[in-house]
Structures are given as C-alpha cells and as structure tokens.
Amino acid sequence: MGSAASGDVDAKVLAAGRSACYKARDAFFQCVESSKGAATESGTVGLLYPSDCKHSRAQFEKMCRSTWVRHFDRQHCAKKRAQRMLEPETRSGPINIPQAT
Amino acid sequence: MDVKYGPSVGKAAIGGPFKLVNHEGKTVTEKDFLGNWTLMYFGFTSCPDICPDELQKMVQAIDAVDKKSGLKIAPLFVSVDPERDSVEQMKEYVQEFHPRLVGLTGAPEDIKQVAKSFRVYYMKTGDEGDDYLVDHSIIMYLMDPKMEFVNFFGKNYTVDELSQGIMDEVKSHGKTKRS
C-alpha cells in the first residue's frame, strides 16, 4: 500500500471540527459586515477587515485550518465583488453628470 | 423522407476496473460492488465545505430512494487525496455521514487510475507550507448493478432532484432490454 498513513486523524475536518470552524467563520464575517470601522487589517487573498474584528479573526484562524481560512476569505471576496457589480449604487457604468440649468 | 430513429447505441466509456482500499483497510475491486446500484463521489476529507455538503446530499438522497422505493443504493466516497486520506481518516469521516457510506482510498497510482477511468479532474492547489487543498470535479456517478456507468449528477442537483433522478434511471434501466 502506498498511501501515507499518518496514524493521526485530523479532527478539524470531522463534523464537530467543521461545525466549530463554520461558527467562528460566520462570527468573523458577521463582524466585518456589521462593523462601521475602516478596513485596516489584512487577512489572506486581499481581504481587508476592520480592527474591531481582530478578536473574531483570531478565533476564526484558530478554529479553521489555514487553507480553509484562505478558501473562505476568497469566497467572501468573490461574493462581495459580485454584490458590488449588481448593486446599482456601486456598479460601474455611465455616470449622470448634473447639467447646469 | 422519413428518418427513423433507432435506440441509442453505446454507453459512455466511464468507469472500469479498480483496486482500492476501503475504510476498514480491506482491498476491494469493482467486483465487490456488483449486484447493487452504486452512487460514487470523488473528493477528499480536508475539503472545507463542498465535500461535506455533497456527501450530506448524497446520503439524504439514498435514504429518500430507500424510503420511496425500497431500493438500497450503495454510496461510495473515493478520495482524490490518498497521500493524506488514510484508512483511519476515511473511516472516521465516512461513519459520521451514513452507516452504509463506503470510503475508498489507496495508493496514489491506483487513485490516479480510477480517477482517470471516471474522467475525474483533481489537482493540488494552494501553497500554505505543507498544507494544500485539492481542486476537483464535483460529480456523482450512478453505476448499475453490473458496475456500468448509467448517468452522472452535478452539484446543481438538490436532494429531491437527485433521488428522483436516480429512481428515474433505475426505472428506465429495468425497461430497456439489454442483450
């Protein structure tokens, strides 16, 4: 058999571990969404978040594997990008320049 | 001019023999799954969200099929990360989803061979030092009791659509005369 059996099962990927990770993830992104502070801290893959979410960020990074943190950060960024494109206020396109009357 | 359409001929060349190790550590081949309808999904245990969701969907669908028609489908989970998905890892993982879910891992070259025969794309991604994720196609393969490919179901299928799709295939399979 060629597969490397580490002998240790990674509990973070089992149901309880996943659940704990998702909970920490959701708490962090909830903080980012509801925070009024400026996004000054950097996560991974270009994610910026406000400093008042530092604690939930630390929890998120603790409960989830780093590859998962990056994956969820990327997912969040992609979702925000899509939202920006769809929202009338933020989507790019023709600008109405007020005309002098 | 009348064009007559005959029955469609040929089957997609998907599937074939394999030699893998189940989550009890036993070496198994495709022959061990003959006699039952089988639903196969390729993924890995270190998957953040997609694999747990797909497996959850898979086991819910087979329970729905069982409840509606009495047919027991055999669910299989094949690892595309054999270097990390050991027998013990697979066992802990699959047992949480369903008592009948079988986990298959094995030597990397055997996984490569089965993935190739099912046209499964998989590739390691990321560079977090030692850690990595595996990018892979998200498809469930329905195999008939002869372990021959019947149809596949993508990520967009809901539990209901999947269970209905399976039952439709089983029903039409019974009606087609095969020589």
Side-chain angles (χ1 to χ4, degrees), chain A residues 2-5 7 9-10 13-15 18 22 65-68 70-72 75, chain B residues 45-49 52 82-84 88-89 93 96-97 106 126-128 131 133:
Chain A
S3 61
V9 173
D10 183 1
V13 307
L14 299 180
R18 293 196 300 267
Y22 298 159
R65 279 165 68 159
S66 56
T67 46
W68 290 29
R70 211 161 65 127
H71 170 85
F72 292 128
Q75 221 175 49
Chain B
T45 69
S46 301
C47 184
D49 45 8
E83 285 157 32
R84 291 188 306 192
E88 308 92 278
Q89 178 85 8
Y93 195 80
E96 285 181 334
F97 286 97
D127 215 349
E128 299 277 333
D131 203 0
L133 293 181

PDB file of all heavy atoms in Angstrom, chain A residues 2-5 7 9-10 13-15 18 22 65-68 70-72 75, chain B residues 45-49 52 82-84 88-89 93 96-97 106 126-128 131 133:
ATOM      1  N   GLY A   2       0.596   2.148  -0.883  1.00  0.00           N
ATOM      2  CA  GLY A   2       1.469   3.306  -0.994  1.00  0.00           C
ATOM      3  C   GLY A   2       1.003   4.521  -0.240  1.00  0.00           C
ATOM      4  O   GLY A   2       1.740   5.468  -0.085  1.00  0.00           O
ATOM      5  N   SER A   3      -0.245   4.527   0.231  1.00  0.00           N
ATOM      6  CA  SER A   3      -0.732   5.756   0.858  1.00  0.00           C
ATOM      7  C   SER A   3      -0.076   5.963   2.210  1.00  0.00           C
ATOM      8  O   SER A   3       0.115   5.025   2.984  1.00  0.00           O
ATOM      9  CB  SER A   3      -2.248   5.715   1.002  1.00  0.00           C
ATOM     10  OG  SER A   3      -2.632   4.646   1.825  1.00  0.00           O
ATOM     11  N   ALA A   4       0.266   7.212   2.478  1.00  0.00           N
ATOM     12  CA  ALA A   4       0.941   7.520   3.743  1.00  0.00           C
ATOM     13  C   ALA A   4      -0.075   7.576   4.863  1.00  0.00           C
ATOM     14  O   ALA A   4      -0.921   8.450   4.899  1.00  0.00           O
ATOM     15  CB  ALA A   4       1.649   8.856   3.599  1.00  0.00           C
ATOM     16  N   ALA A   5      -0.030   6.631   5.754  1.00  0.00           N
ATOM     17  CA  ALA A   5      -0.956   6.633   6.887  1.00  0.00           C
ATOM     18  C   ALA A   5      -0.276   7.360   8.031  1.00  0.00           C
ATOM     19  O   ALA A   5       0.696   6.882   8.593  1.00  0.00           O
ATOM     20  CB  ALA A   5      -1.302   5.203   7.276  1.00  0.00           C
ATOM     21  N   GLY A   7      -1.499   7.974  10.839  1.00  0.00           N
ATOM     22  CA  GLY A   7      -1.839   7.411  12.129  1.00  0.00           C
ATOM     23  C   GLY A   7      -2.708   8.349  12.931  1.00  0.00           C
ATOM     24  O   GLY A   7      -3.429   7.924  13.816  1.00  0.00           O
ATOM     25  N   VAL A   9      -5.774  11.048  13.024  1.00  0.00           N
ATOM     26  CA  VAL A   9      -6.920  11.549  12.280  1.00  0.00           C
ATOM     27  C   VAL A   9      -7.026  13.038  12.564  1.00  0.00           C
ATOM     28  O   VAL A   9      -6.923  13.459  13.711  1.00  0.00           O
ATOM     29  CB  VAL A   9      -8.212  10.814  12.721  1.00  0.00           C
ATOM     30  CG1 VAL A   9      -9.424  11.454  12.078  1.00  0.00           C
ATOM     31  CG2 VAL A   9      -8.131   9.349  12.364  1.00  0.00           C
ATOM     32  N   ASP A  10      -7.178  13.834  11.533  1.00  0.00           N
ATOM     33  CA  ASP A  10      -7.319  15.272  11.713  1.00  0.00           C
ATOM     34  C   ASP A  10      -8.752  15.592  12.143  1.00  0.00           C
ATOM     35  O   ASP A  10      -9.668  15.519  11.329  1.00  0.00           O
ATOM     36  CB  ASP A  10      -6.952  15.990  10.411  1.00  0.00           C
ATOM     37  CG  ASP A  10      -7.011  17.498  10.549  1.00  0.00           C
ATOM     38  OD1 ASP A  10      -7.315  18.005  11.660  1.00  0.00           O
ATOM     39  OD2 ASP A  10      -6.773  18.178   9.542  1.00  0.00           O
ATOM     40  N   VAL A  13     -11.342  18.277  10.471  1.00  0.00           N
ATOM     41  CA  VAL A  13     -12.150  18.056   9.267  1.00  0.00           C
ATOM     42  C   VAL A  13     -13.389  17.209   9.548  1.00  0.00           C
ATOM     43  O   VAL A  13     -14.239  17.052   8.675  1.00  0.00           O
ATOM     44  CB  VAL A  13     -11.331  17.414   8.117  1.00  0.00           C
ATOM     45  CG1 VAL A  13     -10.075  18.217   7.837  1.00  0.00           C
ATOM     46  CG2 VAL A  13     -11.006  15.967   8.399  1.00  0.00           C
ATOM     47  N   LEU A  14     -13.493  16.669  10.758  1.00  0.00           N
ATOM     48  CA  LEU A  14     -14.673  15.883  11.112  1.00  0.00           C
ATOM     49  C   LEU A  14     -15.814  16.825  11.484  1.00  0.00           C
ATOM     50  O   LEU A  14     -15.613  18.023  11.648  1.00  0.00           O
ATOM     51  CB  LEU A  14     -14.351  14.928  12.261  1.00  0.00           C
ATOM     52  CG  LEU A  14     -13.264  13.895  11.969  1.00  0.00           C
ATOM     53  CD1 LEU A  14     -13.031  13.005  13.170  1.00  0.00           C
ATOM     54  CD2 LEU A  14     -13.616  13.051  10.749  1.00  0.00           C
ATOM     55  N   ALA A  15     -16.998  16.266  11.645  1.00  0.00           N
ATOM     56  CA  ALA A  15     -18.216  17.060  11.822  1.00  0.00           C
ATOM     57  C   ALA A  15     -18.104  18.133  12.906  1.00  0.00           C
ATOM     58  O   ALA A  15     -18.441  19.302  12.663  1.00  0.00           O
ATOM     59  CB  ALA A  15     -19.401  16.146  12.089  1.00  0.00           C
ATOM     60  N   ARG A  18     -15.590  20.792  11.834  1.00  0.00           N
ATOM     61  CA  ARG A  18     -16.129  21.629  10.759  1.00  0.00           C
ATOM     62  C   ARG A  18     -17.124  22.626  11.331  1.00  0.00           C
ATOM     63  O   ARG A  18     -17.092  23.816  11.005  1.00  0.00           O
ATOM     64  CB  ARG A  18     -16.840  20.772   9.694  1.00  0.00           C
ATOM     65  CG  ARG A  18     -15.941  19.857   8.894  1.00  0.00           C
ATOM     66  CD  ARG A  18     -16.637  19.360   7.624  1.00  0.00           C
ATOM     67  NE  ARG A  18     -17.859  18.614   7.829  1.00  0.00           N
ATOM     68  CZ  ARG A  18     -17.938  17.293   7.929  1.00  0.00           C
ATOM     69  NH1 ARG A  18     -16.834  16.568   7.887  1.00  0.00           N
ATOM     70  NH2 ARG A  18     -19.102  16.703   8.095  1.00  0.00           N
ATOM     71  N   TYR A  22     -16.975  26.612  11.043  1.00  0.00           N
ATOM     72  CA  TYR A  22     -18.013  27.401  10.376  1.00  0.00           C
ATOM     73  C   TYR A  22     -18.572  28.478  11.312  1.00  0.00           C
ATOM     74  O   TYR A  22     -18.850  29.606  10.904  1.00  0.00           O
ATOM     75  CB  TYR A  22     -19.173  26.511   9.894  1.00  0.00           C
ATOM     76  CG  TYR A  22     -18.830  25.464   8.863  1.00  0.00           C
ATOM     77  CD1 TYR A  22     -19.654  24.358   8.671  1.00  0.00           C
ATOM     78  CD2 TYR A  22     -17.681  25.551   8.066  1.00  0.00           C
ATOM     79  CE1 TYR A  22     -19.364  23.389   7.726  1.00  0.00           C
ATOM     80  CE2 TYR A  22     -17.380  24.570   7.122  1.00  0.00           C
ATOM     81  CZ  TYR A  22     -18.233  23.492   6.956  1.00  0.00           C
ATOM     82  OH  TYR A  22     -17.947  22.510   6.029  1.00  0.00           O
ATOM     83  N   ARG A  65      -8.379  25.375   9.639  1.00  0.00           N
ATOM     84  CA  ARG A  65      -7.081  25.210   9.002  1.00  0.00           C
ATOM     85  C   ARG A  65      -6.798  26.415   8.120  1.00  0.00           C
ATOM     86  O   ARG A  65      -7.700  27.020   7.560  1.00  0.00           O
ATOM     87  CB  ARG A  65      -7.083  23.941   8.164  1.00  0.00           C
ATOM     88  CG  ARG A  65      -6.841  22.698   8.994  1.00  0.00           C
ATOM     89  CD  ARG A  65      -7.200  21.460   8.265  1.00  0.00           C
ATOM     90  NE  ARG A  65      -6.325  21.174   7.135  1.00  0.00           N
ATOM     91  CZ  ARG A  65      -6.203  19.958   6.627  1.00  0.00           C
ATOM     92  NH1 ARG A  65      -6.870  18.956   7.156  1.00  0.00           N
ATOM     93  NH2 ARG A  65      -5.429  19.753   5.585  1.00  0.00           N
ATOM     94  N   SER A  66      -5.515  26.739   7.991  1.00  0.00           N
ATOM     95  CA  SER A  66      -5.157  27.945   7.235  1.00  0.00           C
ATOM     96  C   SER A  66      -5.630  27.883   5.783  1.00  0.00           C
ATOM     97  O   SER A  66      -6.018  28.904   5.206  1.00  0.00           O
ATOM     98  CB  SER A  66      -3.652  28.174   7.299  1.00  0.00           C
ATOM     99  OG  SER A  66      -2.965  27.033   6.841  1.00  0.00           O
ATOM    100  N   THR A  67      -5.614  26.698   5.182  1.00  0.00           N
ATOM    101  CA  THR A  67      -6.098  26.585   3.801  1.00  0.00           C
ATOM    102  C   THR A  67      -7.597  26.862   3.748  1.00  0.00           C
ATOM    103  O   THR A  67      -8.100  27.405   2.757  1.00  0.00           O
ATOM    104  CB  THR A  67      -5.837  25.190   3.202  1.00  0.00           C
ATOM    105  OG1 THR A  67      -6.225  24.198   4.158  1.00  0.00           O
ATOM    106  CG2 THR A  67      -4.379  25.002   2.832  1.00  0.00           C
ATOM    107  N   TRP A  68      -8.310  26.497   4.814  1.00  0.00           N
ATOM    108  CA  TRP A  68      -9.746  26.753   4.854  1.00  0.00           C
ATOM    109  C   TRP A  68     -10.000  28.245   5.055  1.00  0.00           C
ATOM    110  O   TRP A  68     -10.928  28.804   4.460  1.00  0.00           O
ATOM    111  CB  TRP A  68     -10.395  25.954   5.993  1.00  0.00           C
ATOM    112  CG  TRP A  68     -10.437  24.482   5.760  1.00  0.00           C
ATOM    113  CD1 TRP A  68      -9.570  23.729   5.020  1.00  0.00           C
ATOM    114  CD2 TRP A  68     -11.378  23.564   6.309  1.00  0.00           C
ATOM    115  NE1 TRP A  68      -9.915  22.403   5.065  1.00  0.00           N
ATOM    116  CE2 TRP A  68     -11.028  22.278   5.848  1.00  0.00           C
ATOM    117  CE3 TRP A  68     -12.492  23.703   7.137  1.00  0.00           C
ATOM    118  CZ2 TRP A  68     -11.746  21.139   6.190  1.00  0.00           C
ATOM    119  CZ3 TRP A  68     -13.208  22.570   7.484  1.00  0.00           C
ATOM    120  CH2 TRP A  68     -12.826  21.298   7.013  1.00  0.00           C
ATOM    121  N   ARG A  70      -8.154  30.678   4.069  1.00  0.00           N
ATOM    122  CA  ARG A  70      -7.902  31.316   2.775  1.00  0.00           C
ATOM    123  C   ARG A  70      -9.068  31.073   1.808  1.00  0.00           C
ATOM    124  O   ARG A  70      -9.499  31.966   1.084  1.00  0.00           O
ATOM    125  CB  ARG A  70      -6.612  30.764   2.189  1.00  0.00           C
ATOM    126  CG  ARG A  70      -5.859  31.761   1.330  1.00  0.00           C
ATOM    127  CD  ARG A  70      -4.436  31.345   1.184  1.00  0.00           C
ATOM    128  NE  ARG A  70      -4.355  30.089   0.462  1.00  0.00           N
ATOM    129  CZ  ARG A  70      -3.604  29.903  -0.618  1.00  0.00           C
ATOM    130  NH1 ARG A  70      -2.898  30.889  -1.081  1.00  0.00           N
ATOM    131  NH2 ARG A  70      -3.565  28.746  -1.202  1.00  0.00           N
ATOM    132  N   HIS A  71      -9.571  29.849   1.814  1.00  0.00           N
ATOM    133  CA  HIS A  71     -10.694  29.470   0.953  1.00  0.00           C
ATOM    134  C   HIS A  71     -11.924  30.318   1.274  1.00  0.00           C
ATOM    135  O   HIS A  71     -12.577  30.858   0.379  1.00  0.00           O
ATOM    136  CB  HIS A  71     -10.985  27.979   1.143  1.00  0.00           C
ATOM    137  CG  HIS A  71     -12.244  27.489   0.504  1.00  0.00           C
ATOM    138  ND1 HIS A  71     -12.308  27.102  -0.810  1.00  0.00           N
ATOM    139  CD2 HIS A  71     -13.498  27.323   0.997  1.00  0.00           C
ATOM    140  CE1 HIS A  71     -13.547  26.711  -1.096  1.00  0.00           C
ATOM    141  NE2 HIS A  71     -14.277  26.834  -0.015  1.00  0.00           N
ATOM    142  N   PHE A  72     -12.230  30.459   2.561  1.00  0.00           N
ATOM    143  CA  PHE A  72     -13.406  31.228   2.954  1.00  0.00           C
ATOM    144  C   PHE A  72     -13.213  32.723   2.719  1.00  0.00           C
ATOM    145  O   PHE A  72     -14.153  33.432   2.357  1.00  0.00           O
ATOM    146  CB  PHE A  72     -13.800  30.941   4.405  1.00  0.00           C
ATOM    147  CG  PHE A  72     -14.314  29.537   4.620  1.00  0.00           C
ATOM    148  CD1 PHE A  72     -13.789  28.717   5.609  1.00  0.00           C
ATOM    149  CD2 PHE A  72     -15.333  29.030   3.822  1.00  0.00           C
ATOM    150  CE1 PHE A  72     -14.261  27.420   5.793  1.00  0.00           C
ATOM    151  CE2 PHE A  72     -15.813  27.730   3.985  1.00  0.00           C
ATOM    152  CZ  PHE A  72     -15.275  26.922   4.974  1.00  0.00           C
ATOM    153  N   GLN A  75     -13.816  33.205  -0.912  1.00  0.00           N
ATOM    154  CA  GLN A  75     -15.254  33.078  -1.173  1.00  0.00           C
ATOM    155  C   GLN A  75     -15.959  34.379  -0.808  1.00  0.00           C
ATOM    156  O   GLN A  75     -16.810  34.877  -1.542  1.00  0.00           O
ATOM    157  CB  GLN A  75     -15.800  31.959  -0.282  1.00  0.00           C
ATOM    158  CG  GLN A  75     -16.795  31.047  -0.933  1.00  0.00           C
ATOM    159  CD  GLN A  75     -17.183  29.889  -0.014  1.00  0.00           C
ATOM    160  OE1 GLN A  75     -17.513  30.095   1.144  1.00  0.00           O
ATOM    161  NE2 GLN A  75     -17.124  28.694  -0.540  1.00  0.00           N
TER     162      GLN A  75
ATOM    163  N   THR B  45     -11.091  14.425   2.420  1.00  0.00           N
ATOM    164  CA  THR B  45     -11.607  14.761   3.743  1.00  0.00           C
ATOM    165  C   THR B  45     -11.219  16.173   4.191  1.00  0.00           C
ATOM    166  O   THR B  45     -11.903  16.755   5.022  1.00  0.00           O
ATOM    167  CB  THR B  45     -11.145  13.748   4.814  1.00  0.00           C
ATOM    168  OG1 THR B  45      -9.739  13.878   5.023  1.00  0.00           O
ATOM    169  CG2 THR B  45     -11.484  12.317   4.418  1.00  0.00           C
ATOM    170  N   SER B  46     -10.108  16.701   3.660  1.00  0.00           N
ATOM    171  CA  SER B  46      -9.682  18.047   4.062  1.00  0.00           C
ATOM    172  C   SER B  46     -10.420  19.147   3.304  1.00  0.00           C
ATOM    173  O   SER B  46      -9.945  20.275   3.226  1.00  0.00           O
ATOM    174  CB  SER B  46      -8.177  18.222   3.831  1.00  0.00           C
ATOM    175  OG  SER B  46      -7.454  17.268   4.570  1.00  0.00           O
ATOM    176  N   CYS B  47     -11.550  18.817   2.749  1.00  0.00           N
ATOM    177  CA  CYS B  47     -12.341  19.735   1.942  1.00  0.00           C
ATOM    178  C   CYS B  47     -13.149  20.659   2.846  1.00  0.00           C
ATOM    179  O   CYS B  47     -13.882  20.180   3.697  1.00  0.00           O
ATOM    180  CB  CYS B  47     -13.258  18.893   1.074  1.00  0.00           C
ATOM    181  SG  CYS B  47     -14.268  19.780  -0.094  1.00  0.00           S
ATOM    182  N   PRO B  48     -13.017  22.005   2.677  1.00  0.00           N
ATOM    183  CA  PRO B  48     -13.670  22.940   3.598  1.00  0.00           C
ATOM    184  C   PRO B  48     -15.194  22.861   3.640  1.00  0.00           C
ATOM    185  O   PRO B  48     -15.777  22.914   4.711  1.00  0.00           O
ATOM    186  CB  PRO B  48     -13.242  24.322   3.098  1.00  0.00           C
ATOM    187  CG  PRO B  48     -12.129  24.103   2.170  1.00  0.00           C
ATOM    188  CD  PRO B  48     -12.213  22.707   1.676  1.00  0.00           C
ATOM    189  N   ASP B  49     -15.821  22.781   2.487  1.00  0.00           N
ATOM    190  CA  ASP B  49     -17.285  22.851   2.516  1.00  0.00           C
ATOM    191  C   ASP B  49     -17.990  21.997   1.465  1.00  0.00           C
ATOM    192  O   ASP B  49     -19.021  21.389   1.762  1.00  0.00           O
ATOM    193  CB  ASP B  49     -17.763  24.312   2.369  1.00  0.00           C
ATOM    194  CG  ASP B  49     -17.014  25.085   1.260  1.00  0.00           C
ATOM    195  OD1 ASP B  49     -16.237  24.459   0.511  1.00  0.00           O
ATOM    196  OD2 ASP B  49     -17.203  26.300   1.168  1.00  0.00           O
ATOM    197  N   PRO B  52     -18.331  17.931   2.295  1.00  0.00           N
ATOM    198  CA  PRO B  52     -19.330  17.600   3.322  1.00  0.00           C
ATOM    199  C   PRO B  52     -20.755  17.852   2.827  1.00  0.00           C
ATOM    200  O   PRO B  52     -21.652  17.049   3.082  1.00  0.00           O
ATOM    201  CB  PRO B  52     -18.991  18.553   4.474  1.00  0.00           C
ATOM    202  CG  PRO B  52     -17.565  18.906   4.286  1.00  0.00           C
ATOM    203  CD  PRO B  52     -17.308  18.853   2.825  1.00  0.00           C
ATOM    204  N   PRO B  82      -5.085  10.688  -1.676  1.00  0.00           N
ATOM    205  CA  PRO B  82      -4.678   9.453  -0.996  1.00  0.00           C
ATOM    206  C   PRO B  82      -3.472   9.626  -0.072  1.00  0.00           C
ATOM    207  O   PRO B  82      -3.308   8.858   0.880  1.00  0.00           O
ATOM    208  CB  PRO B  82      -4.334   8.504  -2.153  1.00  0.00           C
ATOM    209  CG  PRO B  82      -4.039   9.381  -3.312  1.00  0.00           C
ATOM    210  CD  PRO B  82      -4.913  10.582  -3.139  1.00  0.00           C
ATOM    211  N   GLU B  83      -2.650  10.662  -0.346  1.00  0.00           N
ATOM    212  CA  GLU B  83      -1.475  10.853   0.496  1.00  0.00           C
ATOM    213  C   GLU B  83      -1.839  11.228   1.926  1.00  0.00           C
ATOM    214  O   GLU B  83      -1.111  10.922   2.858  1.00  0.00           O
ATOM    215  CB  GLU B  83      -0.560  11.922  -0.115  1.00  0.00           C
ATOM    216  CG  GLU B  83       0.202  11.406  -1.327  1.00  0.00           C
ATOM    217  CD  GLU B  83       0.649  12.517  -2.256  1.00  0.00           C
ATOM    218  OE1 GLU B  83       0.936  13.620  -1.752  1.00  0.00           O
ATOM    219  OE2 GLU B  83       0.707  12.285  -3.474  1.00  0.00           O
ATOM    220  N   ARG B  84      -2.980  11.899   2.070  1.00  0.00           N
ATOM    221  CA  ARG B  84      -3.382  12.287   3.426  1.00  0.00           C
ATOM    222  C   ARG B  84      -4.577  11.494   3.925  1.00  0.00           C
ATOM    223  O   ARG B  84      -4.740  11.304   5.134  1.00  0.00           O
ATOM    224  CB  ARG B  84      -3.730  13.779   3.477  1.00  0.00           C
ATOM    225  CG  ARG B  84      -2.525  14.675   3.303  1.00  0.00           C
ATOM    226  CD  ARG B  84      -2.841  16.119   3.548  1.00  0.00           C
ATOM    227  NE  ARG B  84      -3.943  16.612   2.746  1.00  0.00           N
ATOM    228  CZ  ARG B  84      -4.237  17.914   2.622  1.00  0.00           C
ATOM    229  NH1 ARG B  84      -3.486  18.797   3.215  1.00  0.00           N
ATOM    230  NH2 ARG B  84      -5.263  18.289   1.892  1.00  0.00           N
ATOM    231  N   GLU B  88      -7.742   5.178   8.400  1.00  0.00           N
ATOM    232  CA  GLU B  88      -8.358   5.646   9.657  1.00  0.00           C
ATOM    233  C   GLU B  88      -9.087   6.964   9.450  1.00  0.00           C
ATOM    234  O   GLU B  88     -10.166   7.185  10.004  1.00  0.00           O
ATOM    235  CB  GLU B  88      -7.306   5.863  10.754  1.00  0.00           C
ATOM    236  CG  GLU B  88      -6.389   4.678  11.000  1.00  0.00           C
ATOM    237  CD  GLU B  88      -5.123   4.749  10.175  1.00  0.00           C
ATOM    238  OE1 GLU B  88      -5.183   4.358   8.983  1.00  0.00           O
ATOM    239  OE2 GLU B  88      -4.086   5.164  10.699  1.00  0.00           O
ATOM    240  N   GLN B  89      -8.462   7.860   8.672  1.00  0.00           N
ATOM    241  CA  GLN B  89      -9.062   9.166   8.392  1.00  0.00           C
ATOM    242  C   GLN B  89     -10.397   8.975   7.661  1.00  0.00           C
ATOM    243  O   GLN B  89     -11.404   9.583   8.008  1.00  0.00           O
ATOM    244  CB  GLN B  89      -8.098   9.996   7.531  1.00  0.00           C
ATOM    245  CG  GLN B  89      -8.591  11.345   7.116  1.00  0.00           C
ATOM    246  CD  GLN B  89      -8.352  12.419   8.159  1.00  0.00           C
ATOM    247  OE1 GLN B  89      -7.685  12.204   9.157  1.00  0.00           O
ATOM    248  NE2 GLN B  89      -8.920  13.585   7.930  1.00  0.00           N
ATOM    249  N   TYR B  93     -14.270   9.773   9.024  1.00  0.00           N
ATOM    250  CA  TYR B  93     -15.008  10.732   8.212  1.00  0.00           C
ATOM    251  C   TYR B  93     -16.331  10.174   7.700  1.00  0.00           C
ATOM    252  O   TYR B  93     -17.385  10.766   7.903  1.00  0.00           O
ATOM    253  CB  TYR B  93     -14.109  11.153   7.043  1.00  0.00           C
ATOM    254  CG  TYR B  93     -14.559  12.389   6.297  1.00  0.00           C
ATOM    255  CD1 TYR B  93     -14.308  13.660   6.797  1.00  0.00           C
ATOM    256  CD2 TYR B  93     -15.205  12.277   5.071  1.00  0.00           C
ATOM    257  CE1 TYR B  93     -14.692  14.799   6.094  1.00  0.00           C
ATOM    258  CE2 TYR B  93     -15.590  13.401   4.373  1.00  0.00           C
ATOM    259  CZ  TYR B  93     -15.335  14.667   4.878  1.00  0.00           C
ATOM    260  OH  TYR B  93     -15.711  15.784   4.189  1.00  0.00           O
ATOM    261  N   GLU B  96     -19.491   9.316  10.028  1.00  0.00           N
ATOM    262  CA  GLU B  96     -20.351  10.404  10.510  1.00  0.00           C
ATOM    263  C   GLU B  96     -21.509  10.677   9.572  1.00  0.00           C
ATOM    264  O   GLU B  96     -22.513  11.264   9.961  1.00  0.00           O
ATOM    265  CB  GLU B  96     -19.525  11.681  10.683  1.00  0.00           C
ATOM    266  CG  GLU B  96     -18.631  11.635  11.912  1.00  0.00           C
ATOM    267  CD  GLU B  96     -17.846  12.915  12.093  1.00  0.00           C
ATOM    268  OE1 GLU B  96     -17.588  13.617  11.091  1.00  0.00           O
ATOM    269  OE2 GLU B  96     -17.472  13.216  13.234  1.00  0.00           O
ATOM    270  N   PHE B  97     -21.354  10.282   8.301  1.00  0.00           N
ATOM    271  CA  PHE B  97     -22.394  10.614   7.329  1.00  0.00           C
ATOM    272  C   PHE B  97     -23.485   9.562   7.256  1.00  0.00           C
ATOM    273  O   PHE B  97     -24.671   9.875   7.215  1.00  0.00           O
ATOM    274  CB  PHE B  97     -21.771  10.817   5.936  1.00  0.00           C
ATOM    275  CG  PHE B  97     -21.012  12.107   5.800  1.00  0.00           C
ATOM    276  CD1 PHE B  97     -19.641  12.126   5.957  1.00  0.00           C
ATOM    277  CD2 PHE B  97     -21.679  13.296   5.540  1.00  0.00           C
ATOM    278  CE1 PHE B  97     -18.928  13.319   5.854  1.00  0.00           C
ATOM    279  CE2 PHE B  97     -20.978  14.494   5.425  1.00  0.00           C
ATOM    280  CZ  PHE B  97     -19.599  14.497   5.590  1.00  0.00           C
ATOM    281  N   GLY B 106      -6.272   4.567  -1.252  1.00  0.00           N
ATOM    282  CA  GLY B 106      -5.343   3.579  -1.798  1.00  0.00           C
ATOM    283  C   GLY B 106      -4.033   4.208  -2.191  1.00  0.00           C
ATOM    284  O   GLY B 106      -3.721   5.334  -1.788  1.00  0.00           O
ATOM    285  N   GLY B 126      -2.874  25.705  -3.839  1.00  0.00           N
ATOM    286  CA  GLY B 126      -2.507  26.440  -2.628  1.00  0.00           C
ATOM    287  C   GLY B 126      -1.079  26.154  -2.229  1.00  0.00           C
ATOM    288  O   GLY B 126      -0.468  25.181  -2.649  1.00  0.00           O
ATOM    289  N   ASP B 127      -0.557  27.015  -1.418  1.00  0.00           N
ATOM    290  CA  ASP B 127       0.827  26.835  -1.004  1.00  0.00           C
ATOM    291  C   ASP B 127       0.996  27.338   0.417  1.00  0.00           C
ATOM    292  O   ASP B 127       1.670  28.320   0.660  1.00  0.00           O
ATOM    293  CB  ASP B 127       1.730  27.621  -1.958  1.00  0.00           C
ATOM    294  CG  ASP B 127       3.050  26.894  -2.173  1.00  0.00           C
ATOM    295  OD1 ASP B 127       3.316  25.928  -1.427  1.00  0.00           O
ATOM    296  OD2 ASP B 127       3.786  27.294  -3.076  1.00  0.00           O
ATOM    297  N   GLU B 128       0.312  26.685   1.352  1.00  0.00           N
ATOM    298  CA  GLU B 128       0.403  27.115   2.741  1.00  0.00           C
ATOM    299  C   GLU B 128       1.458  26.293   3.449  1.00  0.00           C
ATOM    300  O   GLU B 128       1.198  25.640   4.440  1.00  0.00           O
ATOM    301  CB  GLU B 128      -0.943  26.892   3.441  1.00  0.00           C
ATOM    302  CG  GLU B 128      -2.098  27.656   2.849  1.00  0.00           C
ATOM    303  CD  GLU B 128      -2.178  29.072   3.361  1.00  0.00           C
ATOM    304  OE1 GLU B 128      -1.710  29.325   4.474  1.00  0.00           O
ATOM    305  OE2 GLU B 128      -2.702  29.932   2.631  1.00  0.00           O
ATOM    306  N   ASP B 131       0.417  22.459   3.915  1.00  0.00           N
ATOM    307  CA  ASP B 131      -0.999  22.205   3.694  1.00  0.00           C
ATOM    308  C   ASP B 131      -1.404  22.546   2.262  1.00  0.00           C
ATOM    309  O   ASP B 131      -0.787  23.378   1.611  1.00  0.00           O
ATOM    310  CB  ASP B 131      -1.830  23.022   4.694  1.00  0.00           C
ATOM    311  CG  ASP B 131      -3.216  22.426   4.918  1.00  0.00           C
ATOM    312  OD1 ASP B 131      -3.535  21.381   4.308  1.00  0.00           O
ATOM    313  OD2 ASP B 131      -3.981  23.008   5.705  1.00  0.00           O
ATOM    314  N   LEU B 133      -5.108  22.274  -0.643  1.00  0.00           N
ATOM    315  CA  LEU B 133      -6.458  21.799  -0.934  1.00  0.00           C
ATOM    316  C   LEU B 133      -6.382  21.063  -2.264  1.00  0.00           C
ATOM    317  O   LEU B 133      -5.369  21.141  -2.964  1.00  0.00           O
ATOM    318  CB  LEU B 133      -7.432  22.977  -1.042  1.00  0.00           C
ATOM    319  CG  LEU B 133      -7.707  23.758   0.252  1.00  0.00           C
ATOM    320  CD1 LEU B 133      -8.717  24.876  -0.007  1.00  0.00           C
ATOM    321  CD2 LEU B 133      -8.211  22.838   1.346  1.00  0.00           C
TER     322      LEU B 133
END
